[in-house]
């Protein structure tokens, strides 16, 4: 069953173009337009979930299917061969592997002039894309060809080949050393949110004091310098030094700018680096840097399913967060359909914690625009997720916002039952937050409010209580506080929440929202 799962997952990961190419590839040397393997492929592709028993029953007695496990193995190999052929020119590494195979064929055939031209072209490509391991193989073939032809000036050519090989080996050794130090630092940085105890802190400082990490500019390999700079940026974020992290990310962006050839094969990594840069921009309110870089990475066409998932998890998340932080509510709402469609298509591929934060931000955008039915729909997605220890704050915030949304929709009978279930859920969390306790008390009193004047008094009282809570603690505020304050402000001013939010958020970022609600 495990191998069947592998084949099923491989087929589900293929694009329409790749599936079409597979069928052409599998029937290239047959007169028939279909084979047993293409039929098995179609049968698996049509299944919404793998049902191997049904497949065995359907293909029982078919030629080549007596050993069904072996048939699945051959189908998997055929799929991988077709995908390798389909992507033969998708990357420089794939092209160079193909050129190496062609070089060997030409050498065996004795077509040395043609072989030499191909070797020289491949060496230039390997140098351009820093494929150093392939470069060593090409230099080996160049040496074999020189010794085979024995032309005039052989000694000089062999010396040149040897010097090129030595320089390439030195670059590889430096790259390996750099990647080793970057790996050690990465492990030390991401072991915990913050180092625990002097021993871990000293270990991290010792690793960061390595000469390669102190002077990454001395490394001429793109991959090595890139790894070193990313580790340094992570260490600065760990210290909370966003200014230093932003400068380091600028160095990374500049490295990409000076190595444009690397974008062809590593656009996913480039996109991730720009997302990290934009995260620093949001934290530091650098609007002038945000829009241009966001447009640049959105213009990059995803080349893989992983890239499409990353676009949803990071790029759309950053875009939505940016619009909410700057009070651009209409722009935020325009991002929601793309997020919803992306989650629907790639649900199983998106990390559960990422799904939760995406759903919550979508709900917040709708809440601040007064679209309370949409708020409930997005929050249901969060509450229907399998319970997890990750991002419990999101699950708690979803329950609080759901109470306010159902109040706005006039679902008072439902709200009474929902209040009890929310109270029971939140009380199981330790400790119950003061914000949550006051919201539960407020909603209970709201449901029994006798008249408009009493209701207005409840809104005013909760507003003052939350303001006191906001200004009485220096720690991070629980999720949902600022959204609730905007909602209460709209009730006190008798205006729609969208107008109140846009008026309040545009003078500054939501990161400074505490300044928008001065203590009374």
């Amino acid at each position: 069953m495990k191998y069947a799962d592998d084949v099923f997952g491989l087929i589900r990961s293929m694009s329409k173009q790749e599936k079409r190419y597979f069928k052409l590839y599998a029937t290239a040397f047959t007169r028939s337009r279909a084979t047993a393997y293409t039929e098995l492929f179609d049968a698996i592709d049509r299944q919404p979930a793998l049902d191997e028993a049904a497949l065995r029953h359907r293909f029982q007695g078919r030629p080549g299917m007596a050993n069904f496990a072996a048939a699945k193995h051959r189908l998997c190999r055929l799929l991988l061969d077709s995908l390798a052929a389909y992507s033969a020119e998708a990357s420089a590494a794939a092209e160079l592997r193909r050129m190496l195979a062609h070089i060997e064929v030409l050498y065996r055939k004795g077509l040395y002039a043609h072989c030499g031209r191909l070797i020289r072209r491949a060496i230039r490509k390997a140098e351009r894309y820093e494929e150093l391991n392939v470069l060593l193989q090409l230099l080996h073939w160049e040496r074999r060809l020189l010794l085979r032809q024995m032309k005039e000036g052989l000694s000089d050519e062999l010396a040149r080949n040897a010097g090129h090989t030595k320089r390439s080996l030195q670059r590889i050794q430096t790259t390996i050393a750099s990647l080793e130090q970057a790996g050690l630092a990465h492990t030390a940085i991401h072991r915990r949110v913050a180092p625990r105890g002097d021993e871990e802190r000293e270990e991290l400082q010792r690793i960061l004091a390595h000469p390669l990490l102190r002077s990454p500019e001395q490394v001429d390999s793109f991959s090595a310098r890139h790894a070193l700079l990313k580790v340094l940026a992570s260490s600065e974020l760990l210290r909370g030094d966003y200014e230093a992290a932003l400068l380091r990310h600028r160095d990374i962006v500049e490295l990409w700018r000076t190595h444009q050839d690397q974008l062809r094969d590593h656009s996913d990594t480039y996109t991730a680096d720009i997302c990290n840069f934009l995260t620093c921009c949001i934290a530091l309110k650098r609007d002038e840097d945000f829009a241009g870089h966001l447009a640049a990475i959105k213009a990059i066409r995803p080349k893989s399913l992983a890239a499409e998932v990353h676009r949803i998890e990071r790029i759309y998340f950053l875009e939505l967060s940016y619009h909410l932080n700057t009070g651009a509510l209409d722009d935020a709402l325009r991002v929601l359909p793309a997020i919803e469609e992306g989650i629907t298509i790639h649900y199983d591929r998106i990390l559960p914690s990422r799904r939760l934060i995406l759903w919550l931000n979508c709900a917040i955008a709708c809440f601040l625009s007064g679209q309370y039915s949409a708020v409930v729909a997005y929050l249901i997605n969060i509450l229907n997720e399998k319970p997890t220890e990750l991002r419990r704050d999101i699950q708690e915030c979803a329950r609080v916002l759901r109470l306010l949304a159902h109040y706005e929709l006039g679902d008072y009978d439902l709200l009474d039952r929902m209040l009890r279930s929310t109270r029971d859920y939140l009380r199981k969390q330790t400790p119950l937050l003061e914000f949550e306790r006051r919201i539960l008390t407020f909603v209970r009193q709201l449901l029994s409010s006798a008249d408009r004047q009493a209701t207005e008094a409840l809104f005013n009282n909760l507003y003052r209580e939350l303001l006191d809570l906001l200004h009485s603690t220096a720690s991070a505020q629980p999720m949902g506080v600022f959204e609730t304050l905007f909602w209460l402000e709209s009730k006190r001013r008798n205006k729609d929440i969208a107008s109140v939010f846009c008026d309040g958020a545009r003078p500054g970022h939501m990161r400074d929202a505490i300044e928008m609600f001065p203590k009374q």
Side-chain angles (χ1 to χ4, degrees):
M1 180 63 72
K2 181 179 179 181
Y3 204 89
D5 289 342
D6 292 341
V7 176
F8 180 77
L10 182 59
I11 292 174
R12 291 297 296 271
S13 72
M14 295 170 67
S15 65
K16 291 181 180 179
Q17 294 81 2
E18 289 170 336
K19 291 177 181 178
R20 179 178 179 276
Y21 185 85
F22 165 74
K23 293 183 179 181
L24 294 173
Y25 183 90
T27 58
F29 302 103
T30 64
R31 293 183 178 181
S32 173
R33 298 183 62 182
T35 66
Y37 296 110
T38 58
E39 291 179 14
L40 178 58
F41 169 86
D42 287 333
I44 295 175
D45 189 32
R46 283 193 290 267
Q47 288 187 332
L50 180 63
D51 186 349
E52 186 169 351
L55 293 172
R56 286 179 178 274
H57 178 74
R58 175 175 176 178
F59 288 92
Q60 187 176 9
R62 294 286 301 274
M65 294 290 171
N67 187 336
F68 194 70
K72 288 183 297 182
H73 179 75
R74 288 192 292 270
L75 174 60
C76 186
R77 288 189 60 182
L78 193 59
L79 285 167
L80 291 173
D81 287 342
S82 74
L83 289 171
Y86 180 81
S87 60
E89 296 184 359
S91 67
E95 284 187 25
L96 286 166
R97 287 193 296 270
R98 182 167 55 85
M99 294 173 83
L100 275 170
H102 293 175
I103 286 167
E104 184 172 0
V105 168
L106 293 171
Y107 184 86
R108 304 292 183 198
K109 292 289 185 181
L111 301 173
Y112 300 131
H114 188 178
C115 182
R117 290 194 298 271
L118 188 55
I119 287 174
R120 290 189 291 273
R121 190 161 71 247
I123 287 175
R124 289 194 296 270
K125 183 180 284 291
E127 290 273 16
R128 178 181 177 185
Y129 291 100
E130 292 192 11
E131 294 290 342
L132 300 180
N133 292 324
V134 179
L135 179 60
L136 287 179
Q137 297 179 62
L138 292 168
L139 291 170
H140 169 71
W141 276 110
E142 184 184 54
R143 184 175 182 277
R144 288 185 66 178
L145 187 61
L146 288 171
L147 292 173
R148 184 70 174 178
Q149 290 181 298
M150 299 290 289
K151 289 184 177 180
E152 186 177 353
L154 176 62
S155 297
D156 292 340
E157 287 297 312
L158 287 174
R160 179 192 57 77
N161 177 271
H164 198 168
T165 302
K166 288 178 182 178
R167 291 191 300 274
S168 299
L169 283 169
Q170 289 171 354
R171 292 183 68 190
I172 290 175
Q173 290 170 350
T174 303
T175 300
I176 291 173
S178 301
L179 294 176
E180 180 184 11
Q181 289 303 314
L184 291 172
H186 181 84
T187 303
I189 289 169
H190 293 280
R191 185 178 291 133
R192 294 186 178 89
V193 175
R196 179 180 295 174
D198 294 337
E199 185 177 345
E200 289 187 3
R201 202 171 291 108
E202 290 171 2
E203 178 193 2
L204 178 57
Q205 292 303 317
R206 177 179 55 78
I207 294 171
L208 294 175
H210 191 279
L212 288 170
L213 282 162
R214 290 176 66 88
S215 303
E217 65 278 358
Q218 67 181 297
V219 180
D220 63 351
S221 164
F222 170 83
S223 59
R225 192 186 303 180
H226 176 265
L228 294 173
L229 289 173
K230 285 199 71 170
V231 162
L232 291 171
S234 296
S235 69
E236 283 144 1
L237 285 174
L238 182 66
R239 297 198 308 269
D241 191 345
Y242 283 93
E243 286 286 357
L246 180 64
L247 292 175
R248 195 70 70 178
H249 281 300
R250 284 189 191 278
D251 291 340
I252 295 174
V253 172
E254 178 63 18
L255 182 66
W256 282 107
R257 191 190 66 78
T258 56
H259 293 77
Q260 291 287 319
D261 293 330
Q262 299 295 328
L263 283 172
R264 173 188 171 182
D265 295 350
H266 306 291
S267 59
D268 294 356
T269 305
Y270 170 75
T271 301
D273 288 341
I274 297 296
C275 286
N276 291 331
F277 173 77
L278 294 180
T279 300
C280 292
C281 289
I282 290 178
L284 295 170
K285 300 187 293 184
R286 301 293 174 83
D287 295 350
E288 68 278 6
D289 292 321
F290 193 94
H293 285 93
L294 179 66
I297 57 174
K298 287 185 69 176
I300 297 175
R301 183 179 178 182
K303 296 182 179 179
S304 64
L305 278 175
E308 291 181 18
V309 171
H310 185 272
R311 175 176 288 259
I312 299 162
E313 288 185 338
R314 296 293 303 275
I315 298 176
Y316 287 143
F317 166 74
L318 280 170
E319 185 176 12
L320 179 56
S321 299
Y322 173 74
H323 292 321
L324 288 175
N325 280 328
T326 55
L329 198 52
D330 290 340
D331 292 334
L333 293 173
R334 280 192 282 270
V335 182
L336 303 192
I339 293 176
E340 190 168 353
E341 180 184 11
I343 294 178
T344 302
I345 295 173
H346 301 292
Y347 182 87
D348 292 331
R349 299 184 182 95
I350 298 175
L351 293 174
S353 59
R354 295 282 188 185
R355 287 200 301 267
L356 290 176
I357 191 62
L358 285 169
W359 287 133
L360 182 63
N361 277 4
C362 290
I364 287 173
C366 293
F367 184 85
L368 294 172
S369 64
Q371 300 179 20
Y372 297 107
S373 295
V375 173
V376 172
Y378 283 122
L379 294 179
I380 286 175
N381 290 324
I382 296 175
L383 302 178
N384 286 342
E385 287 279 352
K386 184 178 179 180
T388 174
E389 290 298 314
L390 297 175
R391 299 313 305 263
R392 291 169 66 175
D393 54 341
I394 294 176
Q395 300 174 52
E396 294 159 9
C397 178
R399 285 167 167 80
V400 170
L401 290 181
R402 183 176 61 159
L403 294 175
L404 304 183
H406 277 291
Y407 172 79
E408 287 290 345
L409 293 172
D411 301 329
Y412 303 126
D413 292 337
L414 177 63
L415 188 58
D416 184 52
R417 297 193 301 272
M418 195 173 293
L419 176 63
R420 291 194 296 270
S421 65
T422 302
R423 180 187 59 209
D424 293 341
Y425 174 86
L426 293 177
R427 283 180 175 174
K428 292 178 182 178
Q429 315 307 315
T430 51
L432 179 67
L433 298 178
E434 184 64 21
F435 165 67
E436 296 166 348
R437 187 187 66 78
R438 296 191 185 194
I439 288 292
L440 292 174
T441 301
F442 164 76
V443 174
R444 178 174 53 80
Q445 294 173 341
L446 201 59
L447 288 174
S448 59
S449 177
D451 52 42
R452 180 177 178 180
Q453 187 175 1
T455 300
E456 291 177 354
L458 288 174
F459 284 126
N460 289 324
N461 290 338
L462 180 62
Y463 185 81
R464 286 192 294 270
E465 288 176 2
L466 292 187
L467 281 184
D468 291 340
L469 180 65
L470 188 67
H471 291 278
S472 64
T473 176
S475 59
Q477 299 298 328
M479 301 183 74
V481 169
F482 294 118
E483 290 76 17
T484 304
L485 282 168
F486 277 117
W487 178 69
L488 292 170
E489 179 71 10
S490 71
K491 297 299 182 183
R492 296 172 71 243
R493 292 165 54 182
N494 197 26
K495 292 182 63 176
D496 63 277
I497 188 173
S499 299
V500 172
F501 171 72
C502 291
D503 292 344
R506 278 178 182 156
H509 279 51
M510 281 290 288
R511 187 170 179 268
D512 296 328
I514 191 170
E515 298 177 5
M516 301 178 204
F517 298 102
K519 189 173 182 179
Q520 295 183 350

